[in-house]
């Protein structure tokens, strides 16, 4: 009799824990809305560090727009580019927007000051560039120093520019392949990382006359993002469906391999807290990873969303914005089940209690299964199953080769080192 009552009590406790996890699923409404206005694929985005509600976007037809996230409307347009805009960035003070593209020009724009709830005057206004710098080759990316007056462009080489100079103040080149992304370090203003079409990731220091270090991988890296809270670490979005987190001081192996995508990862951006990052992929999904987690904690997708080319966290870390091939920007919650608006103290305490319960009992199979489960579109589900089959076949093949080779001739290589070919200094 006593034993039966104890079992019933345990059952009720487990059911209560499961319900705490299920409530998240019931209230998960991550998609907030779409921002439409572009007439071609969205190619890149940039945050406005001076204004929490502002986000810049650019498309393949040369159109650049400033959006107000709260109203999901265009505030200002910046026409002028004659080809695809490949790079967007804002200066540290948020006063200047820098764009570059395939028309071989770098353009500097004055960023308008957004006034609270006053868009009637500036709605759909058109801005003229402050300066236009024409150069010899097309550009693929641009990034501004976190603290300083310099910005870097990527193309046939890495060029360092000053706002007031019409020609680069410095140029770096290592090899003849096109550089496709560039990112300045948030902690050390003179350090930047680039990725190129020769599958390399290169670190540069502006205080030196030549590049510092180069890492060559088996597949191309499409984008790089530095961790703002741990500026020595960066994560690379790769063509092989994975993201690789590296320590810039020790490039011979990845710290963490983040897997789950089933097609090339096109863009990546860290949350301001440095604890999570968001990725956008060619497989038409957006995923959110923990900075030290091997698998994504969240996946976002819609029926209409096509290949995702750019993603950004908002400056407060509460929302995620994705830009895709279907000309739309989409606004998502960073926490899928988060309640929007003002919460009463009792509601806030209830949410905190449920979060604490889930955190404490996350190891229980019943809770873990509910928390981890996600509904996937059928093409993604089938592609993931096929990918698992291929990886398992590759693992078995390696085991058989090792079993039929001389002892020690085929050492076991960890996955964190397997995709790296060599490091050059």
């Amino acid at each position: 009799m006593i034993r039966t009552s104890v079992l019933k009590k345990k059952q009720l406790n487990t059911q209560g824990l499961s319900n705490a996890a299920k409530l998240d699923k019931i209230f998960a409404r991550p998609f907030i809305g779409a921002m439409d206005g572009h007439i071609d694929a969205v190619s890149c985005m940039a945050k406005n560090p001076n204004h929490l509600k502002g986000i810049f976007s650019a498309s393949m037809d040369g159109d650049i727009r400033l959006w107000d996230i709260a109203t999901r409307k265009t505030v200002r347009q910046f026409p002028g580019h004659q080809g695809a805009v490949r790079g967007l960035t804002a200066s540290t003070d948020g006063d200047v927007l820098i764009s570059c593209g395939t028309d071989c020009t770098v353009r500097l724009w004055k960023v308008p000051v957004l006034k609270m709830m006053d868009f009637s005057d500036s709605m759909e206004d058109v801005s003229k560039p402050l300066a236009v710098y024409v150069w010899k080759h097309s550009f693929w990316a641009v990034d501004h120093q976190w603290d300083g007056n310099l910005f870097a462009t990527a193309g046939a080489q890495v060029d360092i520019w000053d706002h007031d100079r019409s020609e680069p103040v410095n140029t770096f080149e290592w090899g003849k392949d096109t550089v496709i992304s560039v990112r300045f370090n948030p902690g050390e203003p003179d350090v930047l990382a680039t990725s190129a079409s020769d599958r390399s990731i290169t670190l540069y220091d502006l205080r030196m006359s030549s590049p510092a270090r180069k890492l060559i991988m088996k597949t191309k890296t499409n984008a790089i993002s530095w961790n703002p809270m741990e500026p020595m670490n960066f994560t690379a979005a790769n063509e092989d469906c994975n993201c690789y987190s590296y320590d810039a001081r020790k490039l011979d192996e990845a710290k963490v391999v983040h897997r789950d995508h089933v097609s090339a990862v096109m863009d990546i951006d860290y949350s301001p807290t440095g604890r999570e990052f968001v990725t956008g992929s060619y497989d038409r999904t957006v995923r959110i990873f923990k900075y030290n987690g091997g698998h994504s904690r969240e996946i976002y997708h819609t029926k209409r969303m096509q290949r995702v080319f750019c993603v950004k966290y908002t400056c407060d870390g509460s929302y995620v914005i994705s830009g895709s091939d279907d000309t739309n920007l989409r606004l998502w919650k960073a926490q899928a089940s988060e309640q929007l608006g003002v919460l009463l103290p009792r509601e806030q305490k209830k949410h905190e209690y449920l979060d604490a319960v889930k955190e404490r009992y996350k190891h229980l199979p019943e809770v873990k299964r509910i928390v981890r489960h996600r509904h996937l579109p059928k093409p993604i589900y089938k592609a993931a199953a096929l990918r698992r089959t291929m990886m398992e076949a590759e693992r078995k093949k390696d085991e058989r080769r090792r079993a039929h080779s001389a002892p020690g001739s085929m050492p076991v290589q960890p996955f964190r080192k397997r995709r790296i070919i060599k490091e050059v200094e």
Side-chain angles (χ1 to χ4, degrees):
M1 193 72 181
I2 297 168
R3 194 174 174 184
T4 311
S5 63
V6 170
L7 283 170
K8 279 185 180 176
K9 200 172 183 182
K10 278 187 178 177
Q11 246 176 356
L12 286 169
N13 284 344
T14 310
Q15 196 175 353
L17 298 173
S18 300
N19 288 343
K22 282 174 186 172
L23 281 172
D24 262 3
K25 293 298 165 76
I26 293 168
F27 294 113
R29 298 285 185 275
F31 181 61
I32 296 171
M35 296 182 270
D36 58 334
H38 286 293
I39 56 172
D40 208 338
V42 181
S43 55
C44 53
M45 292 191 295
K47 289 181 266 197
N48 185 349
N50 210 19
H51 201 274
L52 196 64
K53 297 194 301 174
I55 187 89
F56 299 100
S57 69
S59 62
M60 290 292 192
D61 63 343
D63 182 28
I64 303 172
R65 290 172 180 250
L66 170 60
W67 301 86
D68 179 72
I69 296 172
T71 59
R72 302 203 293 276
K73 286 185 167 61
T74 302
V75 176
R76 188 67 59 93
Q77 283 185 272
F78 304 89
H81 280 282
Q82 301 302 311
V85 180
R86 285 293 184 174
L88 271 184
T89 187
S91 59
T92 317
D93 55 10
D95 289 340
V96 178
L97 173 71
I98 301 158
S99 64
C100 66
T102 54
D103 58 355
C104 306
T105 62
V106 175
R107 293 170 189 260
L108 276 61
W109 313 82
K110 175 71 178 168
V111 177
V113 178
L114 299 180
K115 295 181 176 63
M116 293 295 287
M117 304 303 290
D118 180 24
F119 305 112
S120 53
D121 301 332
S122 60
M123 185 68 72
E124 297 288 350
D125 273 359
V126 170
S127 289
K128 292 184 179 177
L130 296 172
V132 180
Y133 303 145
V134 182
W135 199 229
K136 305 168 192 169
H137 53 77
S138 60
F139 298 101
W140 280 82
V142 63
D143 195 40
H144 200 282
Q145 267 185 323
W146 285 62
D147 182 21
N149 205 34
L150 300 177
F151 63 92
T153 57
Q157 59 204 15
V158 178
D159 296 314
I160 311 299
W161 302 73
D162 191 291
H163 284 211
D164 306 318
R165 300 281 297 274
S166 61
E167 291 192 357
V169 295
N170 202 351
T171 297
F172 293 102
E173 195 173 5
W174 193 343
K176 296 296 178 188
D177 289 274
T178 305
V179 183
I180 55 176
S181 75
V182 58
R183 279 288 176 271
F184 272 100
N185 188 299
E188 187 57 66
D190 293 321
V191 174
L192 66 147
T194 66
S195 66
S197 56
D198 64 349
R199 304 163 300 164
S200 67
I201 298 171
T202 313
L203 297 180
Y204 298 87
D205 193 329
L206 302 187
R207 296 162 294 191
M208 297 168 64
S209 57
S210 59
R213 299 168 83 185
K214 187 176 187 178
L215 176 74
I216 299 173
M217 299 185 69
K218 287 188 177 178
T219 43
K220 187 176 72 172
T221 296
N222 289 318
I224 291 172
S225 184
W226 293 90
N227 188 331
M229 291 292 119
E230 298 172 358
M232 74 292 289
N233 298 332
F234 66 88
T235 304
N238 206 273
E239 282 276 326
D240 67 354
C241 316
N242 298 330
C243 294
Y244 299 89
S245 289
Y246 289 99
D247 188 326
R249 302 163 298 184
K250 190 175 183 293
L251 292 173
D252 59 345
E253 74 170 315
K255 290 182 72 176
V256 189
V257 179
H258 312 273
R259 2 180 176 191
D260 267 349
H261 281 295
V262 295
S263 192
V265 187
M266 302 304 292
D267 199 17
I268 182 170
D269 189 48
Y270 262 96
S271 163
T273 61
R275 313 305 287 175
E276 292 181 336
F277 62 86
V278 61
T279 58
S281 171
Y282 213 72
D283 63 13
R284 300 176 297 174
T285 62
V286 174
R287 288 183 186 263
I288 298 175
F289 292 83
K290 290 191 181 297
Y291 78 106
N292 57 356
H295 294 278
S296 60
R297 72 157 178 85
E298 202 62 76
I299 175 171
Y300 296 153
H301 53 85
T302 69
K303 283 184 178 177
R304 294 184 180 184
M305 185 162 73
Q306 298 303 311
R307 299 166 296 191
V308 182
F309 289 139
C310 48
V311 285
K312 281 282 183 282
Y313 258 102
T314 54
C315 292
D316 62 350
S318 301
Y319 303 98
V320 166
I321 301 162
S322 65
S324 51
D325 205 11
D326 58 320
T327 75
N328 282 334
L329 275 75
R330 286 180 173 80
L331 185 63
W332 313 84
K333 291 187 229 174
Q335 301 291 335
S337 58
E338 187 181 12
Q339 192 174 336
L340 296 178
V342 180
L343 295 181
L344 295 171
R346 282 181 66 187
E347 287 180 306
Q348 187 65 40
K349 281 182 184 174
K350 179 68 173 174
H351 286 310
E352 287 170 2
Y353 171 72
L354 291 178
D355 288 341
V357 166
K358 280 184 295 181
E359 182 61 30
R360 183 171 180 182
Y361 297 104
K362 63 183 178 183
H363 61 281
L364 293 180
E366 298 93 335
V367 178
K368 189 193 286 186
R369 181 181 59 82
I370 296 165
V371 169
R372 285 183 58 191
H373 182 261
R374 295 288 180 277
H375 285 289
L376 296 174
K378 190 179 274 186
I380 306 291
Y381 183 81
K382 286 185 173 178
L386 179 63
R387 188 167 162 73
R388 281 195 297 273
T389 307
M390 289 164 64
M391 288 178 73
E392 182 63 19
E394 194 179 335
R395 187 187 63 78
K396 284 181 180 175
K397 193 173 186 179
D398 281 347
E399 278 183 5
R400 287 170 186 152
R401 273 184 180 159
R402 202 170 291 111
H404 291 83
S405 301
S409 63
M410 287 187 67
V412 179
Q413 199 175 23
F415 195 79
R416 290 177 298 169
K417 289 186 175 182
R418 210 174 293 168
R419 305 297 299 176
I420 297 169
I421 294 175
K422 65 177 177 177
E423 183 187 357
V424 186
E425 291 197 24

